[in-house]
């Protein structure tokens, strides 16, 4: 959470930083600020509450002049959303400007001792202790670097920090400690940049490098030097920057979310590309790290993730058990590490994270490594921390996902999980040749069938107009569609702020049925699969209690049409691809309800695309 960008070079820093912040806004958007240094003279700070566009329009008569600067877009943790809590933060003398991503876990103790030593604070944030700590080092006559370096040990928690000092024009210091959403340094033409993510660097940086834990970068227009806290130079390789990281546009759609939903046929196609040998009838996930013997020796597969990625894990669990015949479990990364999980070399852990920077998932991955488990990742962000912790990463290849609500990365994850299930089944000889061939054929047909689901947006728009005023929704599904019900409810909550619960339909009678009345529509996922008759019973139970049912069902299902109030149609499909077809229907329902309610669907309140705090 929080986006950081810094620039030092010959150009005006203000516009570059504002553009960078705009591309990082998905990380947080409750306030933003910049600091620009004009030679050794003036350090100008400008902040505003709200999105980056508020700051840009506040500066429409011109950003402060200067060629060294930094900026920040905030996702509040400590201290309410207010101008005083927006970054950059300063020291007592107004000579230092600091932007920070992370949580200073020992800030109360640090702040207390700084107050006792006479420092004054302007904000309620934990971050503000940082400029005051640097200030103390400088007051003792230390160099900027020597005053900055001890932060690595004095601040507890995970951090990304960038600082500038009025008396060191043409220099920025950056530091990474732990997993706080990453920090990337870039080199351009006699200029250097630092940012939380590649899109903020792409326009100017030609080569980039990722800072590792406990590394400090000293940026000047001529070079970027990376050092340890003790000042030893760390040799780093700067790689050419990938143009895939470039800022995406809406491609004519009103929102990124809609564009990303509509891209999903290509997303699934691209997740399959090069990973299946259709002629040989084989799956070949690139870099799969387990030998044939190790696959045969596997005793357990554990899938971890948060939010939408957890729902993908829950689908994956079922696919892996079905195809590979190996016990599989899915668990929230945020719970996993706090229960002393039993992991050994016979456990394969699959970590799912579109951002590759989710703090809970990274911490869980660390735990797996320490315990000697085998670890692969499914991830959409090239070079992210998750990809570096895992033995192998299967890239989602979904392209930039800008909408804060995950859509196409979910479908990419499901596709890769199906392939993983088949590959494990193949390796364990748990899967007959015919079933494997058929399953691959079904996956290959998914992009075409998905195209049918999103071909006509009319039903979703009509349904949204009809249901946008309701305050509660219940989503029901069984088997592989239980996690899809959870995902449908999550999408609705996130972007329309309507309370929605996902439930396994068989559990409804054990409690939630008490809630059923005409004020709570029930979205029932009821494709024609082996659990269809059970779902029909659940639908009857809702109807018998005066509930309204919106069913997602198979094309041509007259029986379902007769039993429900509203029907969203998906093509007939086998279970391996059914979730790929049902999910977009639920995404579109949530999207249009959010739009109908006038919500900011691309940047819902209180959320961020990368959740880099625990
Ligand atoms: C999804 O719509 C959410 N924004 C959120 O639940 C997200 O899936 C979660 O934070 C995990 O993100 P990750 O995939 O980047 O780890």
């Amino acid at each position: 959470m929080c986006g950081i960008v810094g620039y030092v070079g010959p150009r005006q820093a203000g516009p570059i930083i504002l553009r960078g912040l705009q591309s990082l806004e998905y990380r947080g958007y409750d306030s933003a600020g910049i600091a620009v240094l004009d030679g050794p003279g003036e350090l100008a700070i400008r902040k505003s509450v709200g999105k980056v566009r508020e700051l840009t329009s506040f500066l429409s008569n011109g950003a402060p002049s200067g060629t060294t600067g930094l900026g920040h877009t905030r996702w509040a943790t400590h201290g309410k959303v207010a101008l005083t809590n927006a970054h950059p933060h300063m020291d007592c003398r107004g000579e230092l400007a600091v932007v920070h991503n992370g949580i200073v876990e020992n800030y109360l103790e640090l702040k207390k001792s700084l107050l006792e030593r006479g420092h004054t604070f302007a904000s309620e944030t934990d971050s503000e202790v940082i400029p005051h700590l640097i200030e103390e080092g400088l007051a003792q006559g230390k160099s900027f670097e020597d005053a900055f370096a001890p932060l690595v040990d004095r601040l507890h928690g995970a951090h990304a920090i960038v600082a500038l000092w009025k008396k060191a024009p043409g220099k920025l210091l950056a530091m990474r400690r732990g997993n706080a959403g990453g920090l990337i340094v870039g080199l351009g033409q006699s200029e250097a940049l630092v940012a939380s993510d590649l899109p903020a660097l792409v326009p100017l940086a030609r080569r980039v490098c990722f800072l590792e834990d406990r590394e400090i970068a000293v940026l000047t227009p001529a070079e970027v030097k990376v050092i340890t806290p003790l000042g030893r130079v760390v040799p780093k390789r700067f790689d050419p920057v990938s143009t895939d990281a470039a800022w995406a546009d809406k491609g004519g759609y009103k929102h990124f979310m809609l564009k990303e939903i509509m891209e999903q046929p290509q997303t699934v196609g691209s997740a399959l590309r090069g990973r299946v040998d259709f002629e040989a009838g084989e799956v070949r996930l690139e870099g799969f790290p387990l030998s044939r013997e190790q696959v045969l020796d596997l005793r357990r597969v554990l899938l971890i993730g948060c939010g939408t990625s957890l729902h993908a894990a829950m689908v994956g669990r079922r696919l892996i058990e079905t195809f590979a015949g190996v016990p599989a479990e899915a668990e929230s990364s945020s719970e996993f590490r706090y229960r002393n999980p039993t992991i050994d070399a016979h456990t394969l852990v699959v970590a799912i994270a579109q951002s590759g920077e989710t703090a809970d998932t990274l911490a869980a991955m660390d735990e797996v490594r320490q315990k000697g488990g085998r670890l692969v990742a499914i991830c959409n962000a090239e070079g992210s921390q998750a990809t570096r912790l895992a033995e192998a990463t299967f890239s989602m290849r979904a392209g930039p996902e800008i909408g804060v609500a995950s859509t196409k990365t979910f479908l990419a994850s499901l596709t890769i999980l199906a392939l993983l299930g088949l590959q494990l089944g193949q390796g364990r000889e748990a899967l007959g040749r015919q079933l494997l061939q058929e399953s691959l054929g079904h996956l290959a047909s998914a992009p075409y069938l998905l195209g049918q689901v999103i071909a006509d947006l009319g039903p979703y728009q009509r349904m949204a107009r009809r249901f946008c005023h309701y305050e509660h929704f219940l989503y029901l599904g069984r088997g592989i569609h239980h996690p899809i019900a959870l995902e449908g409810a999550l999408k609705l909550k996130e972007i329309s702020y309507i309370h929605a619960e996902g439930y396994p339909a068989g559990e409804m009678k054990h409690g939630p049925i008490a809630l059923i009345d005409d004020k709570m529509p029930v979205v029932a996922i009821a494709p024609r699969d082996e659990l269809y008759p059970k779902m029909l019973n659940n639908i009857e139970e809702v109807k018998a209690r005066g509930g309204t049912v919106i069913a997602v069902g198979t094309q041509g299902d007259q029986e379902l049409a007769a039993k429900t109030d509203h029907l969203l149609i998906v093509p007939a499909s086998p279970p391996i691809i059914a979730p790929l077809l049902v999910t977009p229907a639920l995404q579109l329902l949530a999207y249009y309800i959010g739009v109908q309610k006038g919500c900011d669907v691309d940047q819902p309140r209180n959320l961020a695309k990368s959740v880099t705090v625990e």
Side-chain angles (χ1 to χ4, degrees):
M1 350 271 300
C2 301
I4 287 178
V5 59
Y7 173 84
V8 57
R11 307 177 208 235
Q12 283 299 312
I16 294 168
I17 291 164
L18 285 174
R19 195 172 52 228
L21 289 181
Q22 191 72 57
S23 69
L24 294 176
E25 203 171 38
Y26 68 90
R27 302 173 74 93
Y29 35 78
D30 56 45
S31 56
I34 62 168
V36 178
L37 183 59
D38 200 358
E42 204 198 336
L43 175 57
I45 301 220
R46 302 284 185 272
K47 303 177 183 184
S48 69
V49 170
K51 298 193 172 178
V52 176
R53 66 168 175 264
E54 305 296 335
L55 182 64
T56 309
S57 79
F58 173 52
L59 299 176
S60 54
N61 293 332
S65 158
T67 58
T68 307
L70 45 76
H72 186 268
T73 175
R74 181 171 185 244
W75 186 85
T77 58
H78 291 59
K80 60 183 174 296
V81 177
L83 205 57
T84 45
N85 292 332
H87 297 218
H89 291 293
M90 302 183 85
D91 61 327
C92 298
R93 302 177 199 188
E95 291 185 351
L96 287 155
V98 170
V99 287
H100 170 230
N101 179 16
I103 293 176
V104 182
E105 289 173 0
N106 54 335
Y107 92 98
L108 282 174
E109 173 199 318
L110 291 170
K111 187 169 177 174
K112 184 165 172 280
S113 62
L114 285 161
L115 284 167
E116 283 164 4
R117 292 197 293 277
H119 290 263
T120 52
F121 283 75
S123 79
E124 305 158 330
T125 65
D126 55 331
S127 310
E128 199 186 348
V129 298
I130 300 168
H132 293 282
L133 291 171
I134 305 172
E135 179 188 8
E136 290 204 327
L138 293 171
Q140 291 160 13
K142 291 184 180 170
S143 68
F144 189 18
E145 285 86 333
D146 288 346
F148 184 79
L151 292 174
V152 173
D153 291 310
R154 291 195 74 184
L155 306 177
H156 297 173
H159 308 282
I161 299 170
V162 180
L164 68 75
W165 183 31
K166 193 172 170 175
K167 295 190 178 161
K171 183 183 281 186
L172 290 175
L173 298 183
M175 180 200 104
R176 185 186 144 202
R177 174 188 148 129
N179 297 321
L183 208 51
I184 310 167
V185 283
L187 280 168
Q189 183 89 41
S190 303
E191 57 200 344
L193 297 99
V194 57
S196 311
D197 201 359
L198 283 171
L201 300 175
V202 164
L204 298 177
R206 296 176 174 186
R207 289 175 304 130
V208 298
C209 121
F210 291 78
L211 286 189
E212 299 294 340
D213 189 18
R214 300 177 64 80
E215 286 182 347
I216 293 167
V218 183
L219 290 89
T220 60
E223 64 165 0
V224 173
K225 192 167 70 176
V226 177
I227 56 174
T228 65
L230 294 176
R232 189 174 53 79
V233 174
V234 183
K236 298 287 280 188
R237 205 183 72 196
F238 280 73
D239 293 319
V241 67
S242 154
T243 47
D244 285 355
W247 180 244
D249 65 35
K250 290 185 191 154
Y253 288 99
K254 194 168 171 212
H255 297 105
F256 281 111
M257 183 177 175
L258 182 58
K259 173 180 176 250
E260 288 155 6
I261 293 172
M262 300 302 276
E263 276 172 2
Q264 291 180 116
Q266 293 90 294
T267 307
V268 172
S270 146
L272 291 172
R273 198 183 56 237
R275 289 171 168 158
V276 179
D277 181 338
F278 286 100
E279 254 172 49
E282 268 180 30
V283 181
R284 292 182 196 147
L285 279 169
E286 68 280 10
F288 185 70
L290 273 62
S291 67
R292 191 168 175 275
E293 290 68 36
Q294 289 167 338
V295 169
L296 285 167
D297 277 352
L298 269 184
R299 294 196 197 125
R300 188 160 72 114
V301 178
L302 181 59
L303 300 105
I304 54 172
C306 294
T308 292
S309 292
L310 172 62
H311 299 154
M314 293 168 76
V315 175
R317 171 202 171 181
R318 287 163 170 86
L319 293 169
I320 288 169
E321 283 187 331
T322 304
F323 294 126
V326 59
E329 296 150 50
E331 184 168 357
S332 156
S333 314
S334 56
E335 289 294 323
F336 170 79
R337 65 190 285 237
Y338 295 110
R339 66 169 175 86
N340 194 18
T342 317
I343 300 285
D344 60 20
H346 300 286
T347 307
L348 173 66
V349 178
V350 183
I352 307 165
Q354 61 78 25
S355 64
E357 300 291 354
T358 300
D360 289 316
T361 301
L362 296 181
M365 292 174 80
D366 268 335
E367 178 92 13
V368 173
R369 276 168 56 124
Q370 276 165 33
K371 294 196 155 160
R374 306 303 304 265
L375 180 62
V376 297
I378 296 177
C379 185
N380 200 37
E382 200 186 310
S384 60
Q385 192 55 18
T387 66
R388 288 179 294 151
L389 286 172
E391 292 174 60
T393 298
F394 311 124
S395 168
M396 292 182 189
R397 301 177 185 159
E401 187 178 70
I402 308 298
V404 165
S406 298
T407 51
K408 61 179 178 173
T409 53
F410 181 63
L411 260 64
S413 303
L414 298 191
T415 308
I416 295 167
L417 287 163
L419 291 176
L420 181 62
L422 294 172
Q423 175 146 340
L424 291 174
Q426 211 173 266
R428 293 170 67 81
E429 291 161 16
L431 194 60
R433 185 126 213 99
Q434 193 184 343
L435 178 57
L436 177 59
Q437 294 268 15
E438 276 173 14
S439 303
L440 292 175
H442 293 320
L443 279 172
S445 69
Y448 166 72
L449 295 173
L450 235 168
Q452 294 180 12
V453 178
I454 59 174
D456 180 8
L457 301 177
Y460 306 104
Q461 291 163 338
R462 286 193 290 280
M463 212 73 84
R465 283 195 290 274
R466 166 84 172 73
F467 286 100
C468 65
H469 303 298
Y470 285 80
E471 288 175 6
H472 308 277
F473 276 72
L474 184 62
Y475 283 66
L476 298 177
R478 279 177 176 265
I480 206 162
H481 289 116
H482 164 224
I484 303 302
L486 299 181
E487 176 60 10
L490 177 64
K491 287 287 94 75
L492 189 69
K493 278 188 263 222
E494 281 187 297
I495 61 170
S496 72
Y497 316 139
I498 293 174
H499 169 236
E501 292 299 332
Y503 238 81
E507 282 289 309
M508 187 180 62
K509 58 187 174 293
H510 299 291
I513 200 163
L515 297 170
I516 302 290
D517 64 13
D518 60 355
K519 294 187 192 61
M520 187 164 78
V522 174
V523 179
I525 304 173
R528 283 250 177 203
D529 57 18
E530 56 179 8
L531 294 170
Y532 175 75
K534 307 266 180 216
M535 272 309 295
L536 280 189
N537 291 342
N538 297 131
I539 288 169
E540 297 273 17
E541 286 159 12
V542 173
K543 293 299 301 167
R545 286 156 183 86
T548 304
V549 176
I550 305 168
V552 182
T554 309
Q555 202 156 23
D557 188 340
Q558 298 304 331
E559 191 182 3
L560 187 63
K563 284 189 195 297
T564 55
D565 303 279
H566 305 273
L567 193 54
L568 292 170
I569 298 294
V570 295
S573 63
I576 186 174
I577 61 165
L580 296 174
L581 307 183
V582 170
T583 303
L586 301 183
Q587 293 167 343
L588 284 166
L589 180 64
Y591 169 77
Y592 281 112
I593 290 179
V595 169
Q596 196 66 36
K597 287 191 68 183
C599 298
D600 186 346
V601 294
D602 278 341
Q603 294 181 329
R605 68 184 181 207
N606 304 339
L607 298 180
K609 187 78 183 159
S610 296
V611 184
T612 58
V613 292
E614 277 191 58

